[in-house]
Structure formats: structure tokens, C-alpha cells
Amino acid sequence: MLKRLPYLALCACAAVQAAPTLSPPDLQALANRPEWIALGHYETGKLGGWRSYVDDQAFFLAADGEQNPRAELAATLAALYAPATAGELHAQCVFPARSRWLRHELALDDLPQLQCGDFQRWYQGIAPHSTVLIFPAAYLNSPSSMFGHTLLRIDQAEVQRDGTTLLSYALNFGAYIQGMDNSLLYAWKGLMGGYPGLFSLVSYQEKLAEYRSLENRDLWEYRLNLSAEETGRMIEHVWELKQIQFDYFFFDENCSYRLLELLEIARPGLQLTEQFPLTAIPTDTVRAIQEAGLVEQVAFRPSRERELMARTQALDAEERQWVGRLADAPEHLQAPAFLALPAPRRALIQDGAYRLLRYRANGQVRDPAVAQHSFELLRAINQQPPPELAVERPSLPEDGHESRTWQLGAGSRDGEAFADYGLRMAYHDLNDNAPGFPLGAQIEMGNLKLRQYEGNRWQLQRLELVTIRSLTPRSALLQPWSWQVASGLERVPGRDDDQTLVSQVNGGAGGTWRLGEDVLGYALGTLRLEHNPDFAAFVAPAAGMAGGLLWRNDLGNLGLEAKADYFHNGEVRRSLGLTQQWELSRNLGLRLSAERQFSQLTSPENELRLEVKWYHY
């Protein structure tokens, strides 16, 4: 319908007023203003000129408006003076943010008068007054959320006074998915821009339940110092983007980047998007918003899982068993052995059991038996209330190291010296600088390493497309699976005491256990497919294992890992590695690694290397 607006504006013979005539230089100067560029989501093209991030012709009034801000401005100005008979389809009603800005800049006091009832009712229902940036922490079990996420909460005037945040609205940008794509297809299409991206405005209570309960993600809330006028200006533009499609890419044109564009509309002059020419990872965008001076207050909402672990942390092994029993069957509330426990301990156990029961019910269809069980536990809790739950707040996400990593190293492999040069596009491995990241989480994308041996012999050592490891510790109450997946090119022991470059994909699953305060032990069964020029078959499968220890110590992170792959063709490949990273500063690390590799194709090989890692976006 919007495509008809130029026709209505330019061809209507009953126009009440004519649009003001601007000289070509004045029109061009106005079209070059940052406010207009932001309203059109324009960026400079790779070969010059302009292009808009909006990939929907319904958003533009000029035929070439996607590449021509000046033509779009002229068409918009003309459409604002179209007859009021167009009603809700009039440009003033469809583009309230454009209309407000042009009315102010050009002193347009003779525009046709319209009520724009649909927009006014929508805007008044939201009643925008202030803005809060929401950062749900990374959720490794979802390809779309492995880097975290950002959205905006739009608060009404009374929210801070009355504490009614659940009545606020969540402004979200995400991929629009039709059908049921599996995780691998979803990840691929997300990387390649295979989904359209849309803005949506929904109840914050709904989003809070989705992230904090269903996906067990911690939420960080950053209250921004945007005024009511600035927040309203942003929401006006959101109306212009209803059902308007953008291309969606996980790494750059994603949720975080789109929200930065909205903030630039709210407060003209902010330069946020230009900081992310290649990738826009949510933690980096949060950091950019902090550095721009937009954040005035930070609040933390722990996930249900974190609350459960905090409540049961002070319980001993026997008391945790009672938590599980009460969550399984309410009749244990009257068991003589349970009633014999001290009242304060029973209060903690009952509260822990209720939290465990609700945790298990996340995402499940409502079960009357579970509801009755919950009611009985709640009644017991009301009769014997536990102390207020205190959850330790983790490090702020933006306190972690930057996402892109430059790597420079030197070492020796079986007496032959080498130098390593590397670049990783994103984002964190098991031994990287620890603050801001959970122990046992690894997400790497685009990890390139070149090696220079003595005699100026160069070779590609590694090109990892993706490596994900989720080593979540199991306990008596929660027993999550640990898993890993990786693919790319790497060097492995080959014939004639040489190394062979192979392409491979591998994955595995198993368990992780907490062996101490900052110590994890893990064991995984693995499967691997490898294309190796030394093998007769084009693709060789292998089954194997990986196990090791992770220790967060005073220096940084230490990792010890043993791996083995048993190939179908008889090849057996094993390795034992030790890595210690020293955290020199937030964005600088020094890593010492030692590895011994065994293969039936060659004699055992030893490698020792020292690397400097500079985390720099």
C-alpha cells in the first residue's frame, strides 16, 4: 500500500497546498543531514553512493529511494502535502518520525490536518517515557543466542516509581522464521542472510519468561539516560518499521546493530554503528553504549537456574537429597526424618525443592499434578519462610575481553623453531582471559593461524570455521549434558614425520563435574569425519574421547586435556596437552602451551609454544 503514496502525492489534482520548493543545493544539504540518513537507515556503499539497510520497497516513496536519500526526501516532502482524504494511509500517519523532523526543520505549519487515529492509539498504549537496554547473557544451546542478545525495554512514566516493569514493552529485532528449520540449517541461513529481520513490540513479561525461565539466561538491564522526548522519537520510527523487512545476519546486521540505529535516531549525533563495520557482537555493542555515556544504572536479574543453585549452595549432600525427594513427591514433607531436621534447614530445603520443581516445569505443558505439588510446597514455604535469597552478581558482560583476537607466537616442534601469526574473528576459548565469561564456555569463529618455520617456510596451520564447547557441570539436582562441535582445516601428524592439512568436522557429548571451587573435570565421547590426503578413503570416520581439567587460578586459566581418535581404517591418533594463560590485562594475555602427539603414521611429536594474545575489536 505504501508504494501508492508517491502516486497519491504527485498525481492528485485536488491538493490543498503545495510542498515548499527547495533549491537543489538546499535539498541535497537536508538529505545529507545525519537525522535523515538515520531515518532511512542509509550507509555509504562499498563503491560510493548510498544504500539502505532496509530491504523492503514498501518503506520507500521514491522509486530509487533505497539508494537515493535526496529523492526519498523529495518524495516524502511531496507526500506530506497530499490531500487528507488518504486518511490512515497518508504519509503523515505512515511516517510520523519523518513528518515530525521535516515539520521542525522546514517550519511546515501549513500541512493538511489529520488525526492518524491508528498511530495515536498505538503510541498512547505504549506511553513511552524511558528506555532500558536488556542483555540476556549467552545461551550456548541455541545457535541464534550463542553470543548473547540485546533488546530494548520501553517504560511508562510510573514504572520506576511503582516497580511495574512487567507492564512495559520489549522492543526486539530478530529473524523471522517460517516453518521448523533444524539448528544446523538455522545457523547456516542466519550466517548467510537467509532470513528476513523484523522489529516487534511485545510484553516485557513475555520476553522475561522466555529468556530468564525457558532458556535459563541471566538478564542485565541497563537503564539509559534518554529523555522522554528521545524515547518517543525512537518509538515514532518503530511505527514506520512495522512489518518492514531487513536482511538478517548473525554477525553484523543483527539485533544489536539494529538497536544501535534506533538509539542514533533517538539522540542524533551519536556515532554507534560506525564502530562496527564488520561484526556487531552484542557484548561489544553494550560496551559501545557504555562508552557513549548512555548508561545511568545497571540491574541484574538472575536466571531460575542461578537462583536454584544459590539457594542450595549452603546445603550439605544429605540436604540436597531432600530437595530432590520433595521435588519428586510432596508426601516427603511429612516424612519423620524430614520433620526431624532443624526448622531453618527445612525452610531452605522446601524453598529449594519448589525452585527445582518450577525449573523442571519450564517449557512444559501445564500438568495439574505438578500444579498441585507446587501449591503444597508453597503452603509449606508460607508456614516456614526461608531467609531472603541473595544471589551473587557475576562480572558485567562488558568487563570481559574484546571479541577479536590477534595472536603472535613462537615455539619449537621436534627441535624445529617456528613463529605463529593468527587472527580470530570471535570470540572466546576455554583458556582465554576469564572475567566476564563462564568457566567451561568456548565459542570461536573464523580462527586463522599461519606458521613460519626456519628457512622462511610458510604453511597454513589452522583455519577453524566454528568451535563451540559447552562444559556445564552436573550436580545432584541438575544434570545437563556437556557437548562440543567444530569444523575447519587443521594440521595433524602425517607420513614421513610431516604434518598434513586436513578438513574435518567433529562433535561430542558427555559430562562435566565440579571438582573444586574453580576446578572442572570433563569427559566426552566424540565422533569425527576427516578428509586426509594420507588416507585411501575420501572421508574417514573415527570414534574417540576427550577428557581433561579446567582450573581458574590466580594467574588465569589452566587446561589439561587428553584426546584420542580411533579411525575406521586403523589409524589411531592421540594427544596430551597442557595450557596456562596469564592474564596480563583485560585485553592482553600470555599463553604457554605444551603438547605431545602420537600417531601410527609417524613417531611421537612434541610441540612447545608461547603466544601473546591481544583482544582488540
Side-chain angles (χ1 to χ4, degrees), residues 149-152 170-174 198-201 207 211 259:
H149 183 57
T150 53
L151 61 150
L152 297 177
L171 176 56
N172 185 64
F173 178 82
L198 294 173
F199 281 96
S200 62
L201 199 64
K207 277 294 177 184
Y211 290 123
L259 295 185

Side-chain angles (χ1 to χ4, degrees), residues 33 49 86-87 106 110 139 155 171 224 245 267 294 379 398 495 558 571 581:
R33 291 278 297 276
L106 299 177
D110 57 345
Y139 178 59
D155 287 350
L171 176 56
L224 306 183
Q245 295 186 4
R267 182 172 292 176
L294 287 170
R379 183 167 56 186
E398 65 270 23
R495 299 186 187 278
L558 181 143
E571 159 72 338
Q581 173 132 335

Side-chain angles (χ1 to χ4, degrees), residues 244-275:
I244 296 298
Q245 295 186 4
F246 295 73
D247 280 343
Y248 183 90
F249 294 88
F250 281 167
F251 284 149
D252 52 3
E253 297 183 39
N254 56 21
C255 59
S256 296
Y257 193 89
R258 291 280 88 87
L259 295 185
L260 295 181
E261 289 184 311
L262 292 185
L263 295 177
E264 290 177 338
I265 288 172
R267 182 172 292 176
L270 286 176
Q271 297 178 329
L272 299 173
T273 55
E274 67 181 26
Q275 302 178 41

Side-chain angles (χ1 to χ4, degrees), residues 19 59 137 184 290 301-302 313 432 522:
F59 182 71
L184 290 178
Q290 281 272 25
R301 287 182 183 265
Q313 185 176 13
D432 276 325
Y522 61 93

